[in-house]
Amino acid sequence: MTYLKSKLRSLAVSGLVLAAMPHVAHAQSADEVGQRIKALLTAQGLQLSWSGIAEQNGGFVLQGVSASAEGVEGSAPIGDITLSGISRDGDTIVVAEVTMPNYAYTEDGMSLSIEGIAMTGLQLPEADASDPMNTLMVYDTADVGRMSFSAGGQEIFSMSQVHTETDTADDGTMAFAAAVEEFFVNLAMVEDAQSKAVIDALGYQTLKGYIEMAGTYNPQDGRMVLDQYDTSIANAGTLGMTVDISGYTPQFIQALREMQAKMSASEGQDQSVQSMAMLGLMQQINLHGATLRFEDDSLTEKVLSFVAAQQGVQPADIKNQAKAVLPFALAQVGDPDLTATVSAAVNAFLDNPQSLEVSLEPENPLPFALVAASAMTAPQALPKQLGFGIVANE
């Protein structure tokens, strides 16, 4: 399984590089195209090369493109990337459409394929490394028809009909939405005997589902509101989350990349200085609120039945055990109200598994660094500080 993960990681890098390609083709001269592409990708840890650039119907074709990721040996041959309908809007280059060839890569019995790659309305500012705002790539739509990982002649993972879209308001706020119409995971490939036994008992040798996401982002103050991020698995359930943070500005993103590069370069050495710097950096991010919600579609009863079978009892006995143990476990927090609230919600969910939702609603925005510090020094106070809440079947 370790070998499999290693190969998938290598193939995934090729896919990541490939997916990044549409975000960087933007100019009206061959020299400008080359300079902007290489500068932008280098800043993101990617290197791009090609055999030539040809003009074509008011656009360009990057010929024989290859790409590599920082810290990864070798490069991924991409093929020709076509940029159509290129125009200018002030200093911004607008690419009406970006198309790429289907991609396939095989190594040691592992393979990656990506089909139907396209993007429309790509807006690209002039290359200015001193302005973090210019690292933002804005587009109208982006699509991938299908992506698939395989090993030993069997498909391990796939995604179909991946679609994203963005809309930028006059004040610069961006609304975004994304969806994966269907994903597939083959858990029958798991080799660990204990994990395989659990998978077989629950009947989840294969998983199918979909993903939906939507939100807004204001680069001026870094306010990002993720209104929806739902991952739904057939005959299991839907896990959804929402997040509201501020401070996630382009400047923060750039500083984070630089910090990650320094930590990667000093891997295996004392990183205490970098860790403190990272903690200081996270002080810029503020939590306004968040939720985590699970909507059951038979997973809960399957898990209860599995645990009951392991202990030689009935599912109802496992429910009663959980109800009895939970208050004692929560008593260590030292908050009777919290214990009562959580116990009531969990009990209601176990009796009638429909949904369970945890929420964080602090009275004032909380810096992430303060949350981390409180978790280490005064964990008992953290639930009230975060405005913790939990409800069942609502």
Side-chain angles (χ1 to χ4, degrees):
M1 193 64 184
T2 301
Y3 172 81
L4 179 62
K5 289 181 179 178
S6 176
K7 286 301 177 184
L8 279 177
R9 189 179 296 112
S10 176
L11 293 174
V13 168
S14 298
L16 177 62
V17 172
L18 181 69
M21 293 298 99
H23 295 273
V24 295
H26 59 288
Q28 286 181 294
S29 72
D31 289 342
E32 192 174 8
V33 167
Q35 292 172 3
R36 293 190 179 191
I37 288 176
K38 291 184 177 180
L40 287 172
L41 284 183
T42 298
Q44 299 176 46
L46 301 174
Q47 292 78 43
L48 188 68
S49 63
W50 54 84
S51 60
I53 304 178
E55 294 189 20
Q56 178 177 288
N57 301 325
F60 293 99
V61 177
L62 306 183
Q63 301 170 324
V65 176
S66 293
S68 61
E70 187 175 284
V72 178
E73 295 184 2
S75 61
I78 304 302
D80 295 349
I81 300 176
T82 302
L83 317 175
S84 304
I86 297 179
S87 61
R88 281 191 180 273
D89 182 6
D91 292 330
T92 300
I93 300 298
V94 180
V95 183
E97 184 176 15
V98 180
T99 56
M100 302 176 62
N102 294 340
Y103 177 79
Y105 178 77
T106 301
E107 180 183 348
D108 297 336
M110 310 291 294
S111 63
L112 164 71
S113 65
I114 306 178
E115 305 171 357
I117 308 164
M119 178 176 284
T120 66
L122 185 61
Q123 302 176 32
L124 301 158
E126 61 181 347
D128 181 2
S130 65
D131 186 358
M133 290 293 292
N134 285 352
T135 64
L136 294 177
M137 304 301 173
V138 182
Y139 55 87
D140 292 338
T141 66
D143 294 272
V144 174
R146 193 171 193 277
M147 176 186 292
S148 174
F149 287 107
S150 298
Q154 294 190 57
E155 188 172 60
I156 298 172
F157 173 78
S158 69
M159 294 191 300
S160 301
Q161 301 304 316
V162 182
H163 175 76
T164 63
E165 57 185 54
T166 65
D167 183 27
T168 304
D170 293 338
D171 64 356
T173 300
M174 294 181 286
F176 58 87
V180 177
E181 186 172 301
E182 182 180 78
F183 66 82
F184 167 83
V185 182
N186 183 4
L187 296 181
M189 295 288 291
V190 173
E191 298 174 353
D192 179 73
Q194 187 174 2
S195 299
K196 189 174 183 62
V198 176
I199 292 169
D200 291 343
L202 295 177
Y204 291 132
Q205 292 85 354
T206 60
L207 302 177
K208 288 186 177 181
Y210 63 87
I211 299 172
E212 295 179 335
M213 179 177 66
T216 59
Y217 174 59
N218 186 342
Q220 301 299 326
D221 59 6
R223 186 71 177 266
M224 177 177 286
V225 181
L226 188 61
D227 296 307
Q228 177 190 22
Y229 195 143
D230 293 343
T231 301
S232 182
I233 298 177
N235 301 315
T238 299
L239 185 65
M241 64 178 292
T242 67
V243 177
D244 184 357
I245 62 174
S246 61
Y248 193 71
T249 62
Q251 292 84 351
F252 171 85
I253 297 171
Q254 186 179 51
L256 183 62
R257 287 174 180 164
E258 294 173 354
M259 183 62 63
Q260 290 173 333
K262 290 180 181 179
M263 296 184 73
S264 178
S266 62
E267 187 174 356
Q269 305 174 21
D270 181 13
Q271 295 187 337
S272 56
V273 175
Q274 289 91 334
S275 297
M276 289 300 295
M278 181 68 76
L279 187 62
L281 188 62
M282 294 305 294
Q283 186 73 18
Q284 301 178 37
I285 303 297
N286 299 305
L287 174 66
H288 293 252
T291 65
L292 183 65
R293 178 182 178 87
F294 174 69
E295 295 184 1
D296 186 68
D297 184 17
S298 78
L299 175 62
T300 302
E301 292 295 347
K302 289 176 182 177
V303 171
L304 290 171
S305 296
F306 171 74
V307 175
Q310 293 292 102
Q311 298 184 13
V313 298
Q314 297 299 314
D317 297 323
I318 300 300
K319 292 181 182 180
N320 291 331
Q321 289 178 19
K323 292 177 182 179
V325 170
L326 185 59
F328 290 100
L330 292 172
Q332 300 180 28
V333 179
D335 187 336
D337 292 337
L338 176 68
T339 298
T341 300
V342 174
S343 296
V346 173
N347 291 351
F349 178 76
L350 290 174
D351 288 336
N352 182 20
Q354 297 180 30
S355 67
L356 191 65
E357 180 174 318
V358 173
S359 62
L360 303 178
E361 298 180 6
E363 292 185 5
N364 299 297
L366 288 175
F368 272 38
L370 180 60
V371 174
S374 297
M376 292 185 290
T377 59
Q380 296 85 354
L382 198 57
K384 288 186 177 180
Q385 187 179 34
L386 291 171
F388 177 88
I390 182 170
V391 295
N393 304 333
E394 292 186 4

